[in-house]
C-alpha cells in the first residue's frame, strides 16, 4: 500500500471519522438497479445490432428491432426487478412480524436464541450475559439483531417502484447508445456498425467503472471486465446471425 493510501486509511479511522461513517444511512440499491438495467440494455440491444449485421439485415430493420427491444425488454426488466425487490421487502416484513410475535409470546426463548447466537461468535460468561441483557433491553435492537442474525436481513430495504423506474431508465438510456448510428442512414451499414460497436464498448466500460462506486476496487479493471463480457455476448450474437444467414441463404 502506498504511503498516501496508508495515511488516508489512518485518517478514516480516527474517532470522529468513524462516528461520521457509522451514522451514514445504509447504501441504497440505486447503483445496483442502474447497473442491472444498463448492462442488460446495452448487451441485448447491441446483440441485436451485431446479430442483424452478421445476418446482413438492412439498417432500418436493425433499428426497428433495436427500438422494439428497448421498450419491450426494458419494461420486462423493470417489472422483474419490481417483483424481486417487492418479494424481498415482503419477506423482510413477514420476518419482522414473526420476530415481534415471538418476542411478545416467548421472550425467554428469544433471549436464549440471542445467547446462542453470540456464544457461537466466541462470547462466554459475564460478557455473553451482558450482551444478551443489552440487546434484549432494547426491543428495536432486539428485533433488528434477530432479523440480521437469524434471517440474514440487513437494515436497507429497497423501494420496488424506484428500483423498477431506475432499471427501466438505465436500460433505455444506455441501451439506446448502440442504435444512434442507425439514425443516420447516410453513414452506410459498415460505418454504422463500427460506430455502434465503439459506443457499445464505451458504455460497457463506463458501466463497469460505475460498479466500483463506493467500493475498494479498481475502476479500470472492472470496466475492462464488463467490456469483455459485453463483447463476448455481442460476438455470440454476431456469430449466430452469420450462421443463420449462411444456413438460410446457403
Amino acid at each position: 500500500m502506498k504511503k498516501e493510501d496508508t495515511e488516508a486509511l489512518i485518517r478514516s479511522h480516527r474517532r470522529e471519522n468513524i462516528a461520521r461513517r457509522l451514522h451514514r444511512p445504509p447504501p441504497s440499491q440505486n447503483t445496483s438497479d442502474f447497473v442491472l438495467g444498463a448492462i442488460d440494455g446495452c448487451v441485448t440491444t447491441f446483440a441485436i445490432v451485431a446479430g442483424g449485421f452478421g445476418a446482413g439485415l438492412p439498417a432500418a430493420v436493425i433499428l426497428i428491432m433495436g427500438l422494439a427491444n428497448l421498450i419491450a425488454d426494458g419494461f420486462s426488466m423493470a417489472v422483474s426487478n419490481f417483483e424481486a425487490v417487492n418479494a424481498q421487502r415482503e419477506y423482510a416484513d413477514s420476518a419482522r412480524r414473526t420476530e415481534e410475535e415471538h418476542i411478545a409470546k416467548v421472550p425467554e426463548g428469544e433471549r436464549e436464541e440471542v445467547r446462542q447466537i453470540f456464544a457461537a461468535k466466541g462470547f462466554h460468561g459475564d460478557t455473553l450475559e451482558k450482551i444478551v441483557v443489552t440487546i434484549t433491553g432494547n426491543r428495536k435492537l432486539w428485533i433488528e439483531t434477530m432479523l440480521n442474525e437469524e434471517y440474514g436481513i440487513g437494515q436497507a430495504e429497497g423501494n420496488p417502484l424506484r428500483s423498477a423506474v431506475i432499471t427501466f431508465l438505465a436500460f433505455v438510456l444506455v441501451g439506446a447508445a448502440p442504435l444512434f448510428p442507425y439514425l443516420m442512414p447516410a453513414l452506410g451499414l459498415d460505418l454504422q456498425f463500427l460506430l455502434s460497436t465503439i459506443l457499445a464498448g464505451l458504455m460497457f466500460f463506463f458501466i463497469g467503472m460505475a460498479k466500483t462506486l463506493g467500493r475498494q476496487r479498481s475502476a479500470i479493471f472492472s470496466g475492462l471486465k464488463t467490456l469483455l463480457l459485453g463483447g463476448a455476448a455481442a460476438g455470440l450474437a454476431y456469430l449466430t446471425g452469420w450462421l443463420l444467414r449462411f444456413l438460410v441463404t446457403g
Side-chain angles (χ1 to χ4, degrees):
M1 182 178 289
K2 296 180 180 179
K3 181 179 179 180
E4 296 81 2
D5 295 335
T6 302
E7 291 175 350
L9 183 62
I10 293 173
R11 286 196 301 272
S12 70
H13 283 77
R14 290 174 181 167
R15 184 184 183 91
E16 63 276 11
N17 291 331
I18 291 174
R20 190 181 303 113
R21 185 168 64 251
L22 293 179
H23 282 83
R24 290 174 186 167
S28 70
Q29 195 173 338
N30 294 354
T31 301
S32 60
D33 292 330
F34 174 82
V35 170
L36 174 68
I39 288 181
D40 199 62
C42 198
V43 167
T44 56
T45 305
F46 187 61
I48 288 175
V49 170
F53 183 77
L57 298 179
V61 174
I62 293 175
L63 179 61
I64 292 171
M65 291 173 60
L67 290 174
N69 170 78
L70 274 181
I71 303 304
D73 207 9
F75 181 76
S76 175
M77 279 289 298
V79 170
S80 297
N81 202 23
F82 177 91
E83 292 296 336
V85 175
N86 193 50
Q88 292 174 351
R89 194 170 190 174
E90 289 177 348
Y91 175 70
D93 290 342
S94 175
R96 184 180 298 277
R97 289 192 298 270
T98 297
E99 285 305 312
E100 288 174 346
E101 181 181 3
H102 289 181
I103 289 173
K105 293 183 177 180
V106 283
E108 288 306 318
E110 288 295 308
R111 286 190 180 90
E112 180 59 25
E113 285 190 20
V114 173
R115 183 175 290 107
Q116 292 191 23
I117 286 171
F118 284 90
K121 295 178 182 291
F123 296 98
H124 303 286
D126 291 341
T127 301
L128 176 60
E129 292 307 314
K130 288 179 181 178
I131 291 173
V132 174
V133 170
T134 300
I135 291 176
T136 58
N138 183 321
R139 188 179 181 84
K140 181 180 179 181
L141 176 61
W142 192 352
I143 293 172
E144 294 298 334
T145 299
M146 297 307 298
L147 289 176
N148 184 268
E149 298 292 342
E150 188 172 0
Y151 297 90
I153 298 173
Q155 293 184 7
E157 293 184 4
N159 183 309
L161 181 59
R162 182 175 60 199
S163 292
V165 170
I166 291 174
T167 300
F168 179 77
L169 291 177
F171 189 102
V172 172
L173 294 176
V174 177
L179 296 177
F180 286 152
Y182 289 90
L183 296 173
M184 297 173 280
L187 294 176
L189 195 58
D190 289 340
L191 183 55
Q192 286 173 328
F193 181 68
L194 175 61
L195 293 175
S196 179
T197 302
I198 293 172
L199 287 172
L202 290 173
M203 291 298 104
F204 288 136
F205 184 75
F206 287 124
I207 293 167
M209 293 182 67
K211 291 193 298 182
T212 65
L213 292 175
R215 297 173 174 85
Q216 297 296 324
R217 294 175 55 192
S218 169
I220 300 298
F221 176 79
S222 180
L224 291 174
K225 179 181 177 182
T226 304
L227 174 61
L228 180 62
L229 293 174
L236 287 173
Y238 176 86
L239 181 60
T240 301
W242 183 85
L243 288 174
L244 289 174
R245 178 186 180 186
F246 176 78
L247 292 174
V248 172
T249 62

